[in-house]
Amino acid sequence: MTLLEISVELVYMVAVALFVIGLKRMTSPATARSGNQLAALAMLVGIVVTLFDKNILNFELIIAGVVVGGLIGGIAAKKVEMTSMPEMVALFNGVGGASSFLVGLGEYYRTGGVDLNVDVLVTIGLSILIGGITFTGSIMAFGKLKGLITGNPVTFPLQTPLNGVLLLGSFAAIGYGLFETGDPMLYLIILGISLVLGVLVVLPIGGADMPVVISLLNSYSGVAASMAGFVINNKLLIVSGALVGSAGLILTVIMCKAMNRSLTNVLFGAFGGDKGAASGGGHGSIDKTIREVSAEDLAVMTAYAQRVVIVPGYGLAVAQAQHAVREVADILEGKGVDVRYGIHPVAGRMPGHMNVLLAEANVPYNLLYDMEDINPDFEKTDVVIIVGANDVVNPDARENPASPIYGMPILNVDKAKATIVLKRSMNPGFAGIDNVLFYKPNNYMFFGDAKKSLQNLVSALKEV
Amino acid sequence: MLNYVMPLFLMSSDVAEVSQAMGSDPIKELLVNLFVFLLACFVGFEVISKVPNTLHTPLMSGSNAISGITLVGALVVAGHTYFDIPAWLGFVAVVMATINVVGGFMVTDRMLEMFKKKDEGKK
């Protein structure tokens, strides 16, 4: 190895170290921001030092590509709203996957597909396969979240076997590629299969499960990057890709645990969507009267409470009510009320989504309590204000074995002295299930757009 | 200074010649890469297993940005030749990966700058 090549390898090691340290720092709120910046620095270092590779001749294309990509990515990142974060992550992930299969294909064309070792041929095939699935899968996830594609699971007969056959077919094609070196058509076919597979795999998954899908696809894009690393023999790619691959996988598992469903159930179970009231599971006999409350009544209830817990859900994000909810909390705290926030792991479209929204509204993060931490306290809580959350506070998950959400860990808000549900109407939530909480004797419905309702509450509280 | 550095440069080309003669072993290379891949997976599991729920979204966004490391591979592919198919494929790959990297880190930073503790937050 030349001195230059040795130096490049050493700098790659530094970049890897920075990635690991940065990722580690992202696990604590106090150091998370610097951790992200460290990772960005690592990326910059890795990119700059790669440009010293004496094999690079064509700087014009590279600079043009980086400028174009940087502008698009930067503008998109600056303009996106916090509520659309999950969609953005899906989109960014998708283009990352595209990059991986393009690298795989590009390497094949560059070398002409001859005189390649077995491992290179296999990893070219894998980076194309995984990159392709990541690309179209992510676009599907984006579509489902934005409502461009139906949020209902789309199933057709023999769907899973079909996917299995396609997957096996692509493995066979990769294997076949070991014999015939020189014809790119084989790899274009693999690309085609993988693009179709990406669509087919995400199609039967309900919109509510998109966070899990995005996390899994995030993991895939890491593995795809790693495979690209095997292709061009680049350890920085191999290691960083593996880091992201395993991080994404663990996050996915954590999310499934929070929903008390297995990963296979999420991927193949065709869960959720507008199956209608039928999926409520044996509710014919209960009394379905609801009690309504006005802003003034609610102001009195909360102002004289000792403990109030606020439970945010996707409705908070949609109504952009995070600032209004903080105003309510501020006034209540001024009156000596203990105000805390109970965050369910899958509230909102993505884990941690609620936390990001509330942080945007300057809610200090030490007031945000995880489900496990706040559940024991509901019995001592006077009022729970539920803003746009639905399934995560449905007691059926705990009590009704016939319910589709039975077994999912929830926030036990019904144990509090009073619960207030802010909703636009009585329409069912994301999983299409009727919420028995609404009919409980200590529950009150506060109808209206969440932001307006909370602002009315703020005015009413000022009068109390 | 120069009289220390120059011999190093002269020696490095000898080193290159010698290892050429020995022949770089692709199987050994693959095994080393696999080893490194395996270790990286374990590191990833260990580092991420202890994340508070609060940070799951920024973490997903941040690790997504890191997966844009593919950019390094794209640079290599795009830069190796002049304006033929691999170069154009590489160009598109560079654009895509840069979107992933720049967009990903910026969006993650936007999310993380909002995390303030009670005393430092502006009220």
Side-chain angles (χ1 to χ4, degrees), chain A residues 23-214:
Chain A
L23 214 52
K24 174 92 190 156
R25 288 175 80 90
M26 278 203 259
T27 60
S28 158
T31 52
R33 193 172 183 202
S34 62
N36 182 52
Q37 290 164 342
L38 210 59
L41 177 66
M43 181 69 73
L44 187 64
V45 165
I47 291 167
V48 165
V49 86
T50 303
L51 293 174
F52 280 91
D53 180 348
K54 56 180 163 31
N55 285 326
I56 292 189
L57 315 165
N58 197 347
F59 280 99
E60 297 94 333
L61 262 187
I62 288 178
I63 292 179
V66 169
V67 167
V68 170
L71 279 176
I72 298 176
I75 294 177
K78 269 232 154 345
K79 297 186 71 180
V80 71
E81 288 169 19
M82 281 297 158
T83 37
S84 305
M85 279 301 169
E87 288 94 290
M88 221 63 237
V89 175
L91 216 53
F92 286 151
N93 192 47
V95 294
S99 189
S100 287
F101 73 67
L102 287 169
V103 168
L105 268 181
E107 257 312 275
Y108 187 83
Y109 276 102
R110 183 183 76 84
T111 55
V114 287
D115 279 341
L116 291 174
N117 291 317
V118 172
D119 56 312
V120 175
L121 282 169
V122 167
T123 44
I124 285 181
L126 284 177
S127 68
I128 293 177
L129 177 63
I130 301 173
I133 293 179
T134 306
F135 179 56
T136 44
S138 297
I139 296 196
M140 284 292 290
F142 173 79
K144 287 212 174 204
L145 282 175
K146 267 252 176 299
L148 301 170
I149 305 175
T150 173
N152 294 337
V154 177
T155 53
F156 49 84
L158 294 181
Q159 192 171 22
T160 314
L162 173 67
N163 293 345
V165 163
L166 285 175
L167 192 63
L168 284 175
S170 43
F171 284 142
I174 294 177
Y176 184 65
L178 295 177
F179 297 102
E180 278 238 342
T181 44
D183 185 9
M185 184 50 83
L186 182 69
Y187 291 92
L188 291 174
I189 291 178
I190 295 177
L191 179 62
I193 296 179
S194 69
L195 293 176
V196 168
L197 256 181
V199 172
L200 290 181
V201 165
V202 180
L203 210 53
I205 303 178
D209 289 334
M210 282 303 119
V212 173
V213 170
I214 295 175

Side-chain angles (χ1 to χ4, degrees), chain A residues 27 33 36 57-58 77-78 80 93 96 99 110 218 226 233 235 237 239 246 250 350-353 355-356 360, chain B residues 33 36-37 41 44-45 48 52 54-55 57 60 63-64 67 69 71 75 79-81 93 97 100 105 109-110 114:
Chain A
T27 60
R33 193 172 183 202
N36 182 52
L57 315 165
N58 197 347
K78 269 232 154 345
V80 71
N93 192 47
S99 189
R110 183 183 76 84
N218 192 22
S226 204
N233 196 21
K235 287 200 184 39
L237 270 176
V239 170
S246 52
I250 274 242
M350 252 174 130
H353 192 187
N355 308 64
V356 169
E360 185 188 30
Chain B
N33 287 343
V36 155
F37 176 80
C41 288
F45 276 130
I48 302 307
T54 313
L55 287 172
T57 301
M60 217 189 290
S63 57
N64 176 48
S67 75
I69 191 72
L71 177 55
L75 291 176
H80 269 222
T81 47
N100 192 348
F105 280 123
D109 190 63
R110 265 185 72 185
M114 301 184 311

Side-chain angles (χ1 to χ4, degrees), chain B residues 68-113:
Chain B
I69 191 72
T70 322
L71 177 55
V72 165
L75 291 176
V76 168
V77 171
H80 269 222
T81 47
Y82 272 117
F83 298 108
D84 52 2
I85 294 183
W88 285 113
L89 286 175
F91 170 73
V92 180
V94 166
V95 173
M96 302 255 139
T98 311
I99 295 177
N100 192 348
V101 167
V102 173
F105 280 123
M106 282 181 68
V107 139
T108 310
D109 190 63
R110 265 185 72 185
M111 286 189 239
L112 291 174
E113 75 172 327

